Amino acid sequence: MAEVKSDEISAILRKQLSGFETEVDVYEVGTVLYVGDGVARVYGLAKCEAGELIEFPNGVFGIALNLEEDNVGCILFGESSLIKEGDQVKRTKRIASMPVGEQMLGRVINPLGQPIDGKGEIHTDKFLPLERKALGVIQRQPVKEPLQTGLKAIDAMIPIGRGQRELIIGDRQTGKTAVAVDTIINQKGKDVFCIYVAIGQKGSTVAQVVKSLEEAGAMEFTTVIVATASDPAPLQYIAPFSGATLGEYFRDSGRHALVVYDDLSKQAA
């Protein structure tokens, strides 16, 4: 058996060590103190920021809302049953945001920007925070352009402009959603991008709205954001923020957007 010289061994070791790189991942971690009703309290995230995404076990994420002296209160975007007391969590160092872009048009997504229509992934490289400081009165343009609903009685009596808010009030089954959906359909060819935010509704009800929009050819300029009654309460809570974020993307790129929240009483609950 031939002997290997020590200088050959040294050369082999030097060659292997020259390609050796050390990478150290440093995470700030905390421990779950309490979990229940879509809320978790975490100890140990001393440098956590308000509105930051927090990663929990089993692929559940949350947003840090309450920054207290000895713990951080988070709302959970997943089942509370997947998390237990004593679990380790870590910061993502990313403020809660959602993907935005023209790729969202024609899709049905959840409030986190993830597609739920079975049409594959949405590829976009732009993200906007869910909560941003609103522009002051001085920076805003006056309401100077009309927005037609397509319903003659409403357009004749109630002046609705681009840039204003309009509340639709009525009892159950009086056609509030129908007015909103007809308004979206009427924006066809008018360079208005529409976002329909369904909060706390049944999945079957939302599916009917999407079918109506598809049949009218309105889905090509519309995004539907859905947080159904069976979704965790925190997802229903952030749904309007997601709709506003996507609308602000179109606004900031010099285009018009119509956002419909159906309905905000579920979010308030």
Side-chain angles (χ1 to χ4, degrees):
M1 186 174 174
E3 291 185 10
V4 181
K5 294 180 182 179
S6 61
D7 57 342
E8 289 181 17
I9 294 172
S10 300
I12 292 168
L13 288 172
R14 273 197 298 272
K15 187 176 180 182
Q16 288 180 337
L17 290 171
S18 65
F20 180 73
E21 294 179 7
T22 57
E23 289 186 13
V24 180
D25 288 334
V26 180
Y27 294 106
E28 189 178 332
V29 297
T31 309
V32 176
L33 295 175
Y34 159 86
V35 63
D37 294 329
V39 175
R41 293 202 170 273
V42 180
Y43 172 79
L45 300 180
K47 296 180 181 176
C48 181
E49 299 178 8
E52 183 178 339
L53 272 182
I54 306 296
E55 188 176 344
F56 289 81
N58 300 315
V60 177
F61 283 86
I63 289 185
L65 287 186
N66 282 30
L67 303 182
E68 298 180 17
E69 194 172 336
D70 57 348
N71 68 76
V72 175
C74 304
I75 58 172
L76 303 174
F77 300 136
E79 292 299 327
S80 304
S81 57
L82 296 173
I83 298 161
K84 61 185 185 300
E85 188 178 317
D87 279 348
Q88 193 176 79
V89 304
K90 59 187 179 185
R91 290 178 61 196
T92 62
K93 298 181 181 177
R94 182 162 68 91
I95 299 298
S97 55
M98 69 169 286
V100 295
E102 286 75 11
Q103 297 88 340
M104 294 289 180
L105 297 173
R107 302 300 300 269
V108 182
I109 60 174
N110 69 9
L112 298 174
Q114 300 160 337
I116 55 173
D117 53 7
K119 295 180 181 177
E121 288 186 28
I122 299 174
H123 300 285
T124 174
D125 54 355
K126 297 186 183 73
F127 283 80
L128 282 180
L130 288 178
E131 290 199 61
R132 286 197 294 171
K133 185 180 178 183
L135 292 173
V137 176
I138 304 300
Q139 285 87 4
R140 301 187 191 195
Q141 280 189 339
V143 177
K144 58 183 184 180
E145 295 178 62
L147 185 136
Q148 275 93 13
T149 65
L151 301 162
K152 291 179 182 177
I154 294 174
D155 292 333
M157 291 190 295
I158 306 163
I160 300 175
R162 296 182 183 185
Q164 84 171 61
R165 300 166 192 170
E166 191 66 44
L167 188 61
I168 305 174
I169 304 175
D171 293 329
R172 292 179 69 252
Q173 300 295 315
T174 53
K176 300 186 297 295
T177 297
V179 169
V181 171
D182 285 350
T183 304
I184 291 174
I185 293 170
N186 193 54
Q187 304 314 308
K188 191 170 184 177
K190 295 181 181 175
D191 199 29
V192 177
F193 297 96
C194 302
I195 300 110
Y196 178 82
V197 186
I199 310 161
Q201 298 184 37
K202 290 187 293 185
S204 57
T205 306
V206 180
Q208 287 175 344
V209 170
V210 173
K211 187 168 180 284
S212 300
L213 293 172
E214 284 175 344
E215 288 174 350
M219 276 305 284
E220 59 194 53
F221 56 86
T222 304
T223 302
V224 178
I225 300 176
V226 183
T228 62
S230 59
D231 284 330
L235 271 181
Q236 297 182 41
Y237 163 71
I238 67 156
F241 295 91
S242 301
T245 298
L246 189 54
E248 285 171 358
Y249 164 75
F250 293 115
R251 178 202 69 188
D252 294 343
S253 56
R255 292 170 287 183
H256 296 282
L258 167 67
V259 187
V260 175
Y261 304 111
D262 192 8
D263 65 85
L264 283 177
S265 62
K266 302 274 196 334
Q267 195 254 359

